[in-house]
Amino acid sequence: MTLKKIGFVGLGVMGRAMASNLMKAGFELTVSNRSKASAEALLASGAAWADSPAAVMRAADAVVTIVGYPRDVEQVYFGEKGLFAGFTPGKLVIDMTTSSPLLAAKIGARARELGGEALDAPVSGGDVGARDAKLTIMVGGPETAYKKAEPLFAAMGKEWKLQGAWGAGQHTKMANQIAIASNMMGVCEALAYARAAGLDPQSVLASISGGAAGSFSMSNLAPRMLKGDFKPGFYVKHFIKDMGIALDCAREMKLDLPGLELADKLYRRLADEGGENDGTQALYKLYAPERN
Amino acid sequence: MTLKKIGFVGLGVMGRAMASNLMKAGFELTVSNRSKASAEALLASGAAWADSPAAVMRAADAVVTIVGYPRDVEQVYFGEKGLFAGFTPGKLVIDMTTSSPLLAAKIGARARELGGEALDAPVSGGDVGARDAKLTIMVGGPETAYKKAEPLFAAMGKEWKLQGAWGAGQHTKMANQIAIASNMMGVCEALAYARAAGLDPQSVLASISGGAAGSFSMSNLAPRMLKGDFKPGFYVKHFIKDMGIALDCAREMKLDLPGLELADKLYRRLADEGGENDGTQALYKLYAPERN
């Protein structure tokens, strides 16, 4: 069965852009969100509104979710008016929130129990990637469900890959966040050092960002750090959520990740000092001259 | 005065390739090295041999040095038969070793006292960059000397930039190494997590290396980590030397760099366990499954 009627729950910056790309690709959309205001543009372009995740589920063959925290995912799926309250055999749910691999497995098991399927499919690429349909999508779950969902992924992303069973998409996203976490310290510390040594950090960046020290964060976030532009592309509070999930999983696996532990500690300090709604590049604030 | 007769001290893997590129660009070379065997190919192509840095200095308008540790630099410049023993007014010395910014300033002051000039000009780009004349060169010192040295930089590198006064080249290189240090933890930890979670690390890399988690190290060193290829591109022992210099400088500046401190601690542990002659990607060994 080819998917046609799609439900969408969670219309934040990411979700709105992704839902809009699904509509552009020709899918019939029914949406739901905590605040209806965020749905206005989508409704104006022809999306239908439903009052609850359960109602979205009843109206659709497959539902995509992208909300904030694992507790929101839990509520959207297992709440009284959650998706599973409207789930019937043959249906598919796809959680694109960055969330817990264990919760992904719990959702998968419940969907199968009810005669359907579930995928976890968190993304990277940020608001720009969401808008331009250039997300990277990391998927966990059964291959049949993955094949069925591919037209949706194609409408929202530029790369997608099945990484394994339920939770494997989430674990892959965790690996992504783990790499970013330590690198962000490296970028901040390189800039802080350059400044403290009396160099021109812009000129230093020009010398080092094209070589072995180069990274996406150095090219894209270091310039914002130097301008003092700490506006969120990706929120500190959400990064802390992600690092917390990764650290929980690592502890479960008895894996020691000292770099991630340190980055998590620094980001929590930043949040404690009021930076939780800044973008992740605000880590640079901890290295400000007046603090050193 | 245009430089023509160039001396070269330090014929390791980097030095041999750089000296060879200077010859290809038409400079007349006189070389010296602890072991003469390393000079054979250069001598066969027409370079002259000198028995000491002092003798090299007497034979040349400018001398380039690239040796191992700051103590080697100290010896090559200030030793009994060191460069300054053969230095005369109007001459130029360029230290391309990654070394101490303070030592660079000491060399600069001494050269000026003797009526000449000095630059510190450490590089990034590794053995491949040295061979292909594609090094990035980070320079500190007076602008007149920098202008004079540009034809040499052009023969060895693809980018060069004056970053400030004596020591500024070294400080820029330190910023480069600082960024690499924490990022290397992030790359290792992402791979270790993927493996521990039961994913295929190659497949995870394919998903994450093109996005926000991407970096030179992830693209170039993670594949070697996964193959268990720990052969040195860049030696652990030299990276520890560099991190030590950066940490000393940071302490001097009263700058706290917790990511660098942690990376330094991990690399020292790796060296203690016999990994000092491995390449820097061998940090991945500390995250091996049997240790976690």
Side-chain angles (χ1 to χ4, degrees):
Chain A
M1 189 196 71
T2 305
L3 297 174
K4 187 163 181 208
K5 296 160 95 172
I6 307 299
F8 206 103
V9 177
L11 301 173
V13 174
M14 299 291 291
R16 285 200 300 274
M18 292 157 74
S20 166
N21 284 327
L22 285 171
M23 289 186 75
K24 282 181 205 151
F27 295 102
E28 288 174 25
L29 233 64
T30 301
V31 303
S32 187
N33 193 52
R34 260 194 302 229
S35 119
K36 193 171 176 179
S38 302
E40 269 176 22
L42 290 163
L43 300 181
S45 335
W49 173 259
D51 276 325
S52 69
V56 170
M57 191 80 247
R58 280 190 286 268
D61 309 316
V63 175
V64 173
T65 56
I66 181 160
V67 295
Y69 294 84
R71 62 173 179 269
D72 303 314
V73 174
E74 184 97 33
Q75 184 62 27
V76 163
Y77 281 82
F78 295 96
E80 202 187 331
K81 294 184 175 178
L83 292 172
F84 285 129
F87 197 96
T88 47
K91 296 207 173 184
L92 172 66
V93 285
I94 307 169
D95 185 26
M96 302 186 80
T97 316
T98 297
S99 171
S100 140
L102 278 178
L103 180 53
K106 184 178 156 189
I107 290 170
R110 181 72 180 132
R112 186 165 291 175
E113 209 172 72
L114 295 172
E117 283 299 349
L119 297 168
D120 48 298
V123 302
S124 76
D127 51 347
V128 175
R131 198 185 55 212
D132 301 344
K134 290 195 170 157
L135 294 169
T136 295
I137 307 173
M138 299 156 256
V139 192
E143 186 152 13
T144 46
Y146 174 75
K147 292 279 180 211
K148 205 166 146 184
E150 280 196 286
L152 305 187
F153 297 149
M156 297 182 283
K158 76 162 197 286
E159 286 181 43
W160 51 96
K161 206 167 190 339
L162 184 63
Q163 294 287 353
W166 295 322
Q170 296 299 349
H171 277 310
T172 302
K173 179 69 187 280
M174 290 302 127
N176 188 77
Q177 304 304 72
I178 290 167
I180 290 173
S182 285
N183 187 38
M184 200 69 83
M185 296 191 292
V187 171
C188 289
E189 295 188 5
L191 292 184
Y193 181 96
R195 188 204 61 227
L199 305 175
D200 171 1
Q202 302 279 7
S203 176
V204 170
L205 265 187
S207 270
I208 73 176
S209 62
S215 63
F216 179 94
S217 293
M218 185 176 280
S219 296
N220 291 279
L221 298 179
R224 297 191 207 173
M225 293 176 191
L226 293 180
K227 274 188 284 187
D229 169 7
F230 300 125
K231 285 195 299 287
F234 182 54
Y235 282 113
V236 164
K237 63 186 175 189
H238 288 157
F239 196 38
I240 289 174
K241 177 252 302 182
D242 296 356
M243 289 189 287
I245 295 170
L247 284 168
D248 283 348
C249 290
R251 269 186 287 269
E252 195 69 28
M253 303 166 187
K254 302 195 186 310
L255 178 68
D256 195 20
L257 300 177
L260 180 62
E261 276 168 32
L262 177 59
D264 177 66
K265 197 178 88 177
L266 296 178
Y267 270 104
R268 285 176 185 280
R269 188 182 305 163
L270 177 61
D272 285 346
E273 295 179 6
E276 65 169 12
N277 289 312
D278 286 336
T280 49
Q281 73 275 20
L283 185 66
Y284 190 51
K285 286 184 185 176
L286 292 191
Y287 296 91
E290 65 273 17
R291 304 177 62 113
N292 278 288
Chain B
M1 186 195 73
T2 305
L3 296 175
K4 187 164 180 206
K5 296 160 95 172
I6 306 300
F8 206 104
V9 177
L11 301 173
V13 175
M14 298 291 290
R16 285 200 300 274
M18 293 157 73
S20 165
N21 284 327
L22 286 171
M23 289 185 75
K24 281 181 203 152
F27 294 103
E28 288 174 24
L29 233 64
T30 301
V31 302
S32 186
N33 192 52
R34 259 195 301 228
S35 118
K36 194 172 176 179
S38 301
E40 270 175 21
L42 291 163
L43 300 180
S45 334
W49 173 259
D51 275 325
S52 69
V56 170
M57 192 80 248
R58 279 190 287 269
D61 309 318
V63 175
V64 173
T65 56
I66 181 160
V67 295
Y69 294 83
R71 62 172 180 269
D72 303 314
V73 175
E74 185 96 34
Q75 185 62 26
V76 163
Y77 281 82
F78 296 96
E80 203 187 330
K81 295 184 174 179
L83 292 172
F84 285 130
F87 197 95
T88 47
K91 295 207 173 183
L92 172 66
V93 286
I94 307 169
D95 185 26
M96 302 186 81
T97 316
T98 296
S99 171
S100 140
L102 278 178
L103 180 53
K106 184 178 157 189
I107 290 170
R110 181 70 180 136
R112 186 166 291 174
E113 209 172 71
L114 296 171
E117 283 299 349
L119 297 168
D120 48 297
V123 302
S124 76
D127 51 348
V128 175
R131 198 185 56 213
D132 300 344
K134 291 195 169 161
L135 294 170
T136 295
I137 307 172
M138 299 157 258
V139 192
E143 185 151 13
T144 47
Y146 174 75
K147 292 278 179 211
K148 206 167 146 184
E150 281 196 285
L152 305 188
F153 298 148
M156 296 183 283
K158 77 163 197 287
E159 285 182 42
W160 52 95
K161 206 168 192 334
L162 183 63
Q163 294 288 352
W166 295 321
Q170 297 298 350
H171 277 311
T172 301
K173 179 71 187 277
M174 290 301 127
N176 188 78
Q177 304 305 71
I178 290 166
I180 290 174
S182 285
N183 187 38
M184 201 68 84
M185 296 191 293
V187 171
C188 289
E189 295 188 5
L191 293 184
Y193 181 96
R195 187 203 61 228
L199 305 175
D200 171 1
Q202 302 280 8
S203 176
V204 169
L205 265 187
S207 270
I208 72 177
S209 63
S215 64
F216 178 95
S217 294
M218 185 176 281
S219 296
N220 291 278
L221 298 179
R224 296 191 208 172
M225 293 175 189
L226 293 181
K227 273 189 283 188
D229 169 8
F230 300 126
K231 284 196 300 288
F234 182 54
Y235 283 112
V236 165
K237 63 187 176 190
H238 289 156
F239 196 38
I240 289 174
K241 177 251 302 182
D242 296 355
M243 289 189 287
I245 295 170
L247 284 167
D248 283 348
C249 290
R251 269 186 287 270
E252 195 69 29
M253 304 165 187
K254 302 194 185 312
L255 178 67
D256 194 19
L257 300 177
L260 179 63
E261 276 167 32
L262 177 59
D264 177 67
K265 197 178 86 179
L266 296 178
Y267 270 105
R268 284 177 186 280
R269 188 181 306 162
L270 177 61
D272 285 347
E273 295 179 6
E276 66 170 11
N277 289 311
D278 286 337
T280 50
Q281 74 275 18
L283 186 66
Y284 190 51
K285 286 184 185 176
L286 291 191
Y287 295 93
E290 65 272 18
R291 304 177 61 114
N292 278 287

